[in-house]
Amino acid sequence: MLPSILPFLLSCCILFSTENLVAVALTSPQDISALKAFKASVKPSSIQPWSCLASWDFTTDPCAFPRRTHFTCGITCSPDSTRITQLTLDPAGYSGQLTPLISQLASLTILDLADNSFYGPIPSSISSLINLQTLTLRSNSLSGAVPNSITSLKSLQSLDFSHNYLSGYLPKTMDSMSSLRRLDLSYNKLAGPLPKLPYNLLELALKANSLSGSLSKSSFDRLTQLEVVELSENSFTGTLEPWFFLLPALQQVDLSNNSLARVEISKPSNANSDLVAVDLGFNKIEGNAPLQFADFPLLSSLSLRYNRLRGTIPLEYGRKKSLRRLFLDGNFLIGKPPPAFFASDKSVSGSLGDNCLQACPGSFQLCMPSQKPSSVCKQAYGGKPRS
């Protein structure tokens, strides 16, 4: 009886001792090599004692458990503890250039190095991370161009390079990023026109760059799910054509602080639109205040401030029950504002000030600041009196 039990007891002892080893070699050598290269590229003086990178001690296996003292944060491993699937650093002020060897982390789905001080170019080898779904390098000091190779990341759903010093043109083949839902490249130095955009986008943010040219329908072709457009503080010119506000899922638009000259708007079919907020302030838009904005059933916030609008304020703006914020200040609007704005049951905030309006009650906040001097208004209308 005893001899037959010995193999079983022996196997139990081996299993027990194996499971209690502190650092069993689990992680792929390729991933360990990449992590070592990544840490080596970070300036030691920028690695604080309390930070994630300070806990990366390669005398133990990165994916071994328990992680009480080593690799306490910054990485996530696959269920079988063999591959690194997430590299998410804390905002500890790490500084250094991104190593091209980061591309060896072939199973990464999330790479997030936001709110640090990494500098230099984005390695083009990052395109080898074919499983990547989220790529966030926000708020660093990265420079150079957005790598063209990045458009080969077909699984990428969220891309955020905002608040860096990136320059040059956007990649021409961005539309090939078929899974991309969120794109934020705001607060960089990007230039040139918009390329054809990924057709599954939900959110587009390119605020505070030097992008230029007109907004072309071809750039937005097939963007049937686009909800948010943030393109303020650029140098876009020309006419904003009717197709733009008819994008079927559009909810929020900010094109303020550009050089747009005209806006053409068509009534949404069957009054069907999800458009809620529009900001076209601080452009060079001429003509009348677009009457058709009143046809968008959910529109609650509209800004056309500091443009070159003339004529009267459409009465339909005053009748629009959904409208809660209206900024038309800084134009050359004439006549009397819609009386509905001042009805006791109407609650509209904003400003109609700095125009050429008559009978805008100074006691109402909506009429502040005061209107333009009469001499300025007469000059704007060729010496003709306001009416």
Side-chain angles (χ1 to χ4, degrees):
M1 180 71 176
L2 186 59
S4 62
I5 295 177
L6 283 175
F8 173 76
L9 292 174
L10 184 59
S11 65
C12 287
C13 291
I14 294 172
L15 180 62
F16 178 82
S17 61
T18 302
E19 288 179 344
N20 283 271
L21 286 175
V22 175
V24 182
L26 300 171
T27 310
S28 159
Q30 175 179 308
D31 285 13
I32 293 176
S33 175
L35 290 178
K36 286 181 177 179
F38 179 80
K39 183 175 180 179
S41 70
V42 178
K43 292 181 177 180
S45 60
S46 71
I47 301 177
Q48 303 298 326
W50 44 263
S51 66
C52 286
L53 278 185
S55 74
W56 287 19
D57 181 347
F58 291 96
T59 61
T60 63
D61 187 274
C63 289
F65 279 96
R67 294 189 207 150
R68 294 195 181 99
T69 57
H70 304 314
F71 292 95
T72 55
C73 57
I75 62 168
T76 301
C77 298
S78 59
D80 63 359
S81 297
T82 61
R83 304 306 301 262
I84 307 297
T85 58
Q86 297 183 25
L87 176 51
T88 307
L89 285 189
D90 48 335
Y94 303 118
S95 177
Q97 295 200 46
L98 299 180
T99 173
L101 295 178
I102 201 170
S103 62
Q104 292 183 3
L105 296 171
S107 295
L108 272 190
T109 59
I110 296 177
L111 176 58
D112 186 345
L113 309 178
D115 301 298
N116 282 289
S117 298
F118 291 105
Y119 59 87
I122 298 171
S124 60
S125 62
I126 211 165
S127 62
S128 299
L129 302 175
I130 59 174
N131 296 302
L132 210 56
Q133 297 175 15
T134 299
L135 176 54
T136 304
L137 303 178
R138 179 186 66 247
S139 296
N140 280 281
S141 297
L142 299 167
S143 58
V146 177
N148 287 321
S149 60
I150 208 166
T151 62
S152 63
L153 294 174
K154 307 302 182 188
S155 298
L156 197 64
Q157 298 174 19
S158 176
L159 174 61
D160 189 346
F161 290 169
S162 62
H163 296 272
N164 280 285
Y165 299 98
L166 300 174
S167 57
Y169 284 25
L170 293 170
K172 291 182 179 180
T173 56
M174 291 199 71
D175 59 316
S176 65
M177 303 174 78
S178 55
S179 298
L180 198 64
R181 307 290 275 170
R182 181 177 179 270
L183 174 63
D184 193 347
L185 302 175
S186 301
Y187 296 97
N188 280 287
K189 299 179 179 180
L190 300 169
L194 283 184
K196 190 173 172 60
L197 296 166
Y199 61 86
N200 275 319
L201 271 186
L202 291 176
E203 299 180 17
L204 171 66
L206 295 168
K207 179 178 183 177
N209 281 283
S210 298
L211 299 168
S212 59
S214 60
L215 294 181
S216 166
K217 187 175 182 180
S218 61
S219 297
F220 292 81
D221 187 37
R222 296 196 298 161
L223 268 67
T224 58
Q225 302 174 68
L226 186 63
E227 296 177 353
V228 178
V229 175
E230 168 58 276
L231 297 176
S232 64
E233 297 180 48
N234 280 287
S235 299
F236 291 113
T237 56
T239 299
L240 195 57
E241 297 175 345
W243 59 265
F244 183 82
F245 287 107
L246 297 181
L247 289 168
L250 200 60
Q251 297 179 15
Q252 300 177 46
V253 174
D254 190 349
L255 279 163
S256 62
N257 290 280
N258 279 282
S259 295
L260 297 170
R262 296 192 69 81
V263 176
E264 297 175 356
I265 302 176
S266 294
K267 183 177 181 178
S269 59
N270 302 319
N272 185 22
S273 171
D274 294 327
L275 190 64
V276 173
V278 175
D279 191 344
L280 294 172
F282 298 95
N283 277 278
K284 300 176 181 178
I285 299 170
E286 298 181 339
N288 296 324
L291 170 64
Q292 292 81 0
F293 274 131
D295 294 322
F296 289 82
L298 303 180
L299 188 65
S300 63
S301 178
L302 175 62
S303 175
L304 292 163
R305 64 192 319 194
Y306 290 92
N307 279 285
R308 300 172 181 176
L309 298 176
R310 296 167 175 258
T312 59
I313 300 173
L315 291 173
E316 288 78 2
Y317 285 11
R319 297 174 187 149
K320 187 164 183 57
K321 293 182 178 180
S322 66
L323 196 61
R324 291 290 179 263
R325 296 177 72 249
L326 178 64
F327 288 90
L328 297 176
D329 47 317
N331 285 284
F332 296 91
L333 299 170
I334 59 174
K336 295 181 180 180
F341 284 150
F342 311 109
S344 58
D345 60 343
K346 188 73 172 177
S347 178
V348 179
S349 63
S351 177
L352 306 178
D354 198 16
N355 276 291
C356 300
L357 296 171
Q358 292 177 325
C360 199
S363 58
F364 282 85
Q365 188 66 34
L366 197 61
C367 293
M368 300 299 291
S370 58
Q371 301 300 305
K372 285 181 168 66
S374 177
S375 59
V376 173
C377 295
K378 286 182 178 179
Q379 185 178 12
Y381 282 88
K384 297 178 182 179
R386 288 184 284 161
S387 62

